[in-house]
Amino acid sequence: MRRHLYLVGGFVSLGLGTAGAVLPLLPTVPFMILAAFCFARSNPRLEAKLLDHPHLGPHIRRWRERGAISRRGKKAASAAFAFSVALALLFSPWPWWLIPVAAALIGGSWIWTRPEG
């Protein structure tokens, strides 16, 4: 039963990560890291596919080995946060635009405190 829950969690994370590739403020790589974690406990073949992926694999391996995020990844995350905040400022009334601003500040500060790799 536990293995099946990890498998479902891996596919949900994979779906959210895929959606995050096109939606602002929804991250891609953290969901792929979570998917790899879940697949490692449920289906090692799917985990190997993620680790061997040419774009995602290095990010997952760096995170597992050193908890590191590349400088390029940090810049991309910051740009996505800025875009989301700009959209919120344009289209959300007070005080609702404070939510994405707070999320960007909290998430961005955490990302920039991680080691670079």
Side-chain angles (χ1 to χ4, degrees):
M1 180 68 168
R2 190 179 203 180
R3 185 172 179 231
H4 290 99
L5 290 175
Y6 275 120
L7 187 63
V8 168
F11 280 117
V12 168
S13 297
L14 190 64
L16 288 171
T18 302
V22 295
L23 296 175
L25 205 59
L26 188 62
T28 299
V29 174
F31 282 117
M32 296 304 179
I33 291 170
L34 181 59
F37 172 84
C38 290
F39 289 148
R41 284 145 184 80
S42 62
N43 190 326
R45 186 177 56 82
L46 292 173
E47 176 199 21
K49 278 187 154 190
L50 278 178
L51 291 174
D52 292 337
H53 191 275
H55 298 292
L56 299 171
H59 296 289
I60 296 168
R61 279 192 237 91
R62 260 195 306 272
W63 179 258
R64 282 184 172 180
E65 293 166 5
R66 300 184 309 269
I69 301 171
S70 69
R71 168 82 48 148
R72 185 175 176 206
K74 290 177 180 185
K75 288 180 180 179
S78 296
F81 283 142
F83 179 71
S84 297
V85 167
L87 287 178
L89 290 172
L90 287 172
F91 297 113
S92 297
W94 168 264
W96 298 109
W97 58 262
L98 289 173
I99 295 170
V101 169
L105 289 173
I106 293 167
S109 62
W110 183 83
I111 286 170
W112 282 96
T113 61
R114 301 300 96 200
E116 289 185 9

Short mmCIF file of all heavy atoms in Angstrom, two decimals, residues 1 13 15 24 28 41 63 78 107 109-110 113 115:
data_model
loop_
_atom_site.label_atom_id
_atom_site.label_comp_id
_atom_site.label_asym_id
_atom_site.label_seq_id
_atom_site.Cartn_x
_atom_site.Cartn_y
_atom_site.Cartn_z
N MET A 1 0.83 -1.20 0.00
CA MET A 1 0.00 0.00 0.00
C MET A 1 0.87 1.27 0.00
O MET A 1 0.60 2.21 -0.73
CB MET A 1 -0.91 -0.03 1.23
CG MET A 1 -1.81 1.15 1.35
SD MET A 1 -3.02 1.12 0.05
CE MET A 1 -4.12 2.34 0.56
N SER A 13 3.44 14.80 -8.42
CA SER A 13 4.56 15.74 -8.44
C SER A 13 5.07 15.96 -9.86
O SER A 13 5.40 17.08 -10.25
CB SER A 13 5.70 15.24 -7.56
OG SER A 13 5.28 15.16 -6.23
N GLY A 15 3.30 15.72 -12.59
CA GLY A 15 2.31 16.55 -13.26
C GLY A 15 2.40 18.01 -12.85
O GLY A 15 2.34 18.91 -13.69
N PRO A 24 3.46 30.66 -14.13
CA PRO A 24 4.30 31.42 -13.21
C PRO A 24 3.98 31.08 -11.76
O PRO A 24 2.87 30.70 -11.43
CB PRO A 24 3.93 32.88 -13.51
CG PRO A 24 2.59 32.81 -14.15
CD PRO A 24 2.50 31.48 -14.84
N THR A 28 9.16 24.13 -11.16
CA THR A 28 9.32 22.87 -11.88
C THR A 28 10.26 21.93 -11.15
O THR A 28 9.89 20.82 -10.78
CB THR A 28 9.84 23.12 -13.30
OG1 THR A 28 8.90 23.94 -13.98
CG2 THR A 28 10.01 21.83 -14.07
N ARG A 41 11.22 5.33 -3.93
CA ARG A 41 10.58 4.44 -2.96
C ARG A 41 9.48 3.57 -3.56
O ARG A 41 8.91 2.74 -2.87
CB ARG A 41 10.02 5.27 -1.81
CG ARG A 41 11.12 5.72 -0.88
CD ARG A 41 10.87 7.09 -0.31
NE ARG A 41 12.00 7.52 0.50
CZ ARG A 41 13.13 8.03 0.01
NH1 ARG A 41 13.31 8.14 -1.28
NH2 ARG A 41 14.10 8.40 0.82
N TRP A 63 20.94 18.54 -6.02
CA TRP A 63 20.16 18.73 -4.81
C TRP A 63 20.38 17.57 -3.83
O TRP A 63 20.55 17.77 -2.63
CB TRP A 63 18.68 18.87 -5.13
CG TRP A 63 17.87 19.05 -3.89
CD1 TRP A 63 17.12 18.11 -3.26
CD2 TRP A 63 17.79 20.23 -3.09
NE1 TRP A 63 16.56 18.64 -2.13
CE2 TRP A 63 16.95 19.94 -2.00
CE3 TRP A 63 18.33 21.50 -3.19
CZ2 TRP A 63 16.65 20.87 -1.02
CZ3 TRP A 63 18.02 22.43 -2.21
CH2 TRP A 63 17.19 22.11 -1.14
N SER A 78 13.95 33.70 -9.48
CA SER A 78 13.73 35.11 -9.14
C SER A 78 12.94 35.82 -10.23
O SER A 78 12.05 36.63 -9.94
CB SER A 78 15.07 35.82 -8.92
OG SER A 78 15.73 35.25 -7.82
N GLY A 107 10.05 32.65 -0.55
CA GLY A 107 10.66 31.64 -1.42
C GLY A 107 11.99 32.10 -2.00
O GLY A 107 12.96 31.34 -2.04
N SER A 109 14.11 34.36 -0.80
CA SER A 109 15.17 34.43 0.20
C SER A 109 15.67 33.04 0.56
O SER A 109 16.87 32.84 0.78
CB SER A 109 14.70 35.19 1.44
OG SER A 109 13.63 34.52 2.06
N TRP A 110 14.78 32.06 0.61
CA TRP A 110 15.22 30.69 0.90
C TRP A 110 16.10 30.16 -0.24
O TRP A 110 17.15 29.56 0.01
CB TRP A 110 14.01 29.77 1.10
CG TRP A 110 14.42 28.38 1.46
CD1 TRP A 110 14.74 27.91 2.70
CD2 TRP A 110 14.57 27.28 0.57
NE1 TRP A 110 15.08 26.59 2.62
CE2 TRP A 110 14.98 26.17 1.33
CE3 TRP A 110 14.39 27.12 -0.80
CZ2 TRP A 110 15.22 24.93 0.77
CZ3 TRP A 110 14.64 25.88 -1.36
CH2 TRP A 110 15.04 24.81 -0.59
N THR A 113 19.65 31.41 -0.24
CA THR A 113 20.52 30.95 0.86
C THR A 113 21.05 29.55 0.62
O THR A 113 21.88 29.08 1.39
CB THR A 113 19.77 30.99 2.20
OG1 THR A 113 18.65 30.12 2.15
CG2 THR A 113 19.34 32.40 2.55
N PRO A 115 23.28 26.57 -1.19
CA PRO A 115 24.58 26.58 -1.86
C PRO A 115 24.41 26.51 -3.39
O PRO A 115 23.40 26.04 -3.87
CB PRO A 115 25.28 25.33 -1.34
CG PRO A 115 24.29 24.58 -0.55
CD PRO A 115 23.07 25.42 -0.35
#
